[in-house]
Amino acid sequence: MENKDKQEVLIDIQNLELIYGTKKNSVLALDNIDLQIKRGEFLCVLGPSGCGKSTLLKIIAGFIKPTNGNCLMQGKFITGPDWHRGVVFQSPTLYPWMSIKDNVEFGPKMRGIPEKEIENIREHFMEQVNLKGFEDKFTFELSGGMKQRVALARVLANYPQVILMDEPLGALDALTRFNMQRLIREIWKENNSTILLITHDVDEALSLGTRIVVMSKRPGKILKEFNVDFTNIIFDNGSKHVLYSENYFQVKNEILDLINSQIEE
Amino acid sequence: MDTKNNKKDIKFKINKKEPDKSNENISEDKKKRDKTENRLTVATWVVILGVWYIVTKLELFSTTLVPSPYKVWTTFLGILKDGYNGVPLFIHLGTSFERLFIALGFAIVTAIPMGLLSGYSRKVKAIIDSIVEFYRPLPPLAYYTLLILWFGIDNTSKVILLYLAAFAPIYIACVSAVNKINVDYILSAKSLGANQKKIFFKIVLPACLPEIFTGIRTAVGVAYTTLVSAEMVAATSGIGWMVLDASNFLKSNVIVVGILIMGFTGILIDFGLRYLEKRIVFWKGHL
Ligand SMILES: Nc1ncnc2c1ncn2[C@@H]1O[C@H](COP(=O)(O)OP(=O)(O)O)[C@@H](O)[C@H]1O
Ligand SMILES: [Mg+2]
């Protein structure tokens, strides 16, 4: 039963191509992408910078339309942004004119959820991201890591089908990053979320993802996929020992070789 | 090209290395700078007053042309007590401010929606922008004569004149604010389930507020100078009129008092606006 559940395809990308700009000045950003995101998986996208990772995420989010090919969610064409697909941006786009509480409640409020329910949702997710007691603060009173946690809570509050994250930890220092990775893993586990996370950090991808997609340099194509399970092992053992295993290094080296081959050429 | 980029990167890294410490230094530096700046301002005015005092004490010019500080002070007290021309000072100020604030109110209420709309829609902008761009560089007193012909010498023509003066800066600020909005604010709002109307009121309007406030402050300044000139051309009351009337009778002490009152009230108004700005757009600078 659970196995069958995991097979459900949430996002289906077929033969996707994206060209920026007009004919004379055009940039082929994505070429011939086929990708599926299944319910419950944690998909990490790796690739050299400028290869079109953000572009891919923006298409799934509905911010831009594919030039050719299809992008479907649960069998329906994606025509624009939608609260079923929550987005966490690299630099948090929290609204500075709202308190933390209002930021987290923004989604449910926009959707007309009853007041009482909104309160419960907010309390639940403020706790989940360890920010209880910060409700009445403003975004500029928080550190970078806290802001990103608020951004995460704001997205979670809508109970989206898929969470899309574009290098959400890219601007954080190493220690905060490490803690945030654990938090994201725990949230993914606890909520049975489906996550697509873009990163340029191979270790981050390996320690979080259940599947890793490596993209080529521009125009971005999918070079190779890796199915990994380190994130579940880390979660079950409560330690990151698995990151020192033979197996881990093997996969990591293979991915690094793949990415380096794209940069050097 | 490449080396340029590298340099930028290195600079950026150095700046980022110790953000806390450098921030502290910056704020301390700023405090020091503020202090010296304040001292300089005070010193400047002490010097001006001193020169004024010495010049009148030595009677370098006739006292009808340059009244002494003391004479100006007594004149001010006299006007404060008995008014000017039998009309109390607060009535002069009151009529001036009534004109100013009615015009500003109308300008705020109309320029903000029109400006935001122009920022949203190129078609609306094509219509309103050309009109604003045309009349904005004109000296207000040029079309004021027309307004007097059409609406009479009373308040109406003045309020319309001030309205036109105040409209442009607010309108322009709104257009530019909309064009500068961080698109990710709007995209994230859409991804969270907000519709167009909610995006406008919850995201676009607040995101534009800091710049709108700057526009309003500019508008107050422009309208205030226009007001005084308007009253000096045609009026029967108001602070500008007081100065004009005094000049007809060579009462230079009253002229100086009038100028000082205008200057101080101008500063006071801006002070009040800055206070409001701090309270309402307290998040300014964190966009
Ligand atoms: N709005 C745009 N217009 C034109 N070109 C763009 C635009 N956005 C991105 N690109 C180009 O498309 C390519 C892929 O960009 P992006 O998806 O941001 O890459 P990544 O996120 O992998 O670094 C880059 O070469 C970039 O210069
Ligand atoms: Mg990117």
Side-chain angles (χ1 to χ4, degrees), chain B:
Chain B
M1 259 301 278
D2 263 342
T3 44
K4 225 182 182 178
N5 263 339
N6 276 340
K7 258 187 201 161
K8 233 189 196 166
D9 270 346
I10 290 165
K11 248 192 195 163
F12 182 66
K13 268 177 199 155
I14 291 172
N15 276 342
K16 269 211 123 173
K17 228 178 184 174
E18 291 172 304
D20 287 336
K21 224 177 175 184
S22 67
N23 259 349
E24 248 169 54
N25 279 342
I26 286 168
S27 65
E28 237 166 64
D29 274 3
K30 203 177 167 281
K31 262 184 207 159
K32 245 186 221 162
R33 235 185 302 130
D34 281 358
K35 239 185 187 172
T36 29
E37 277 165 18
N38 283 340
R39 278 197 200 128
L40 276 175
T41 311
V42 172
T44 307
W45 282 95
V46 168
V47 169
I48 288 175
L49 270 175
V51 169
W52 182 14
Y53 176 76
I54 290 165
V55 163
T56 49
K57 190 80 186 165
L58 298 177
E59 293 186 21
L60 289 179
F61 306 98
S62 104
T63 45
T64 35
L65 289 183
V66 184
S68 70
Y70 178 72
K71 178 125 187 262
V72 168
W73 177 246
T74 49
T75 310
F76 172 67
L77 292 180
I79 291 177
L80 206 58
K81 203 165 137 246
D82 308 322
Y84 180 78
N85 238 16
V87 181
L89 180 63
F90 75 87
I91 298 240
H92 283 299
L93 276 174
T95 38
S96 290
F97 283 137
E98 191 187 316
R99 290 163 185 154
L100 185 70
F101 285 117
I102 291 176
L104 272 175
F106 275 116
I108 288 171
V109 171
T110 53
I112 291 176
M114 282 192 194
L116 294 180
L117 217 65
S118 289
Y120 252 125
S121 147
R122 297 179 142 270
K123 281 178 193 137
V124 178
K125 190 173 174 215
I127 298 168
I128 307 177
D129 235 36
S130 60
I131 301 172
V132 174
E133 290 304 329
F134 172 75
Y135 86 75
R136 200 171 60 102
L138 296 177
L141 293 187
Y143 50 88
Y144 182 39
T145 44
L146 260 188
L147 293 177
I148 293 177
L149 284 179
W150 293 342
F151 301 102
I153 200 169
D154 292 335
N155 259 349
T156 316
S157 58
K158 284 187 188 58
V159 169
I160 293 175
L161 180 78
L162 298 186
Y163 167 78
L164 289 172
F167 182 90
I170 303 176
Y171 170 82
I172 290 167
C174 288
V175 177
S176 123
V178 173
N179 290 328
K180 267 195 251 165
I181 282 188
N182 179 355
V183 234
D184 286 348
Y185 279 150
I186 292 170
L187 290 178
S188 58
K190 282 185 184 168
S191 281
L192 289 165
N195 59 24
Q196 280 297 335
K197 191 178 142 206
K198 293 220 165 108
I199 285 176
F200 181 82
F201 285 105
K202 301 268 175 186
I203 309 295
V204 174
L205 191 59
C208 291
L209 264 187
E211 218 165 321
I212 293 176
F213 243 99
T214 314
I216 292 176
R217 274 177 60 196
T218 315
V220 172
V222 174
Y224 195 57
T225 44
T226 313
L227 165 74
V228 173
S229 340
E231 286 179 345
M232 291 177 86
V233 172
T236 51
S237 64
I239 195 78
W241 170 82
M242 188 178 97
V243 170
L244 175 84
D245 190 70
S247 78
N248 288 338
F249 300 101
L250 279 182
K251 296 186 212 159
S252 60
N253 50 337
V254 177
I255 298 178
V256 175
V257 168
I259 288 173
L260 289 178
I261 289 176
M262 288 174 200
F264 277 118
T265 45
I267 290 172
L268 264 175
I269 292 173
D270 196 56
F271 194 78
L273 281 172
R274 265 164 42 194
Y275 175 77
L276 276 180
E277 186 178 24
K278 248 193 203 147
R279 311 227 61 189
I280 297 174
V281 287
F282 54 91
W283 39 269
K284 188 183 180 176
H286 301 284
L287 270 178

Side-chain angles (χ1 to χ4, degrees), chain A residues 49-55 58 90 166-167 198:
Chain A
S49 113
C51 77
K53 303 182 294 292
S54 297
T55 305
K58 283 177 191 161
Q90 173 163 17
D166 193 352
E167 304 195 24
I198 289 172

Side-chain angles (χ1 to χ4, degrees), chain A residues 46-48 200-204 206 212 214-215 223-224 226 248-264:
Chain A
L46 276 170
H200 52 235
D201 180 345
V202 180
D203 284 310
E204 187 167 287
L206 281 167
I212 296 170
V214 180
M215 284 173 70
L223 284 180
K224 198 163 179 184
F226 297 84
Y248 182 87
F249 279 113
Q250 241 169 15
V251 185
K252 181 175 173 181
N253 280 333
E254 196 179 336
I255 293 176
L256 280 176
D257 285 345
L258 210 55
I259 294 176
N260 284 333
S261 77
Q262 293 301 308
I263 297 170
E264 278 156 19

Side-chain angles (χ1 to χ4, degrees), chain A residues 149-236:
Chain A
R149 280 188 269 156
V150 177
L152 195 56
R154 184 173 74 169
V155 163
L156 291 170
N158 264 341
Y159 293 98
Q161 304 268 7
V162 190
I163 301 169
L164 309 168
M165 302 199 227
D166 193 352
E167 304 195 24
L169 312 183
L172 304 181
D173 61 84
L175 196 64
T176 314
R177 223 181 141 102
F178 173 81
N179 289 330
M180 282 292 287
Q181 286 169 1
R182 192 178 55 204
L183 180 78
I184 290 176
R185 185 187 301 111
E186 281 166 5
I187 284 173
W188 167 66
K189 274 287 196 184
E190 198 171 315
N191 303 358
N192 290 319
S193 313
T194 310
I195 297 182
L196 175 130
L197 178 124
I198 289 172
T199 174
H200 52 235
D201 180 345
V202 180
D203 284 310
E204 187 167 287
L206 281 167
S207 67
L208 283 177
T210 56
R211 187 154 66 106
I212 296 170
V213 166
V214 180
M215 284 173 70
S216 71
K217 64 176 192 244
R218 207 185 77 208
K221 298 187 202 86
I222 290 176
L223 284 180
K224 198 163 179 184
E225 280 189 23
F226 297 84
N227 286 304
V228 288
D229 199 36
F230 303 111
T231 188
N232 284 316
I233 297 171
I234 295 170
F235 184 80
D236 293 338

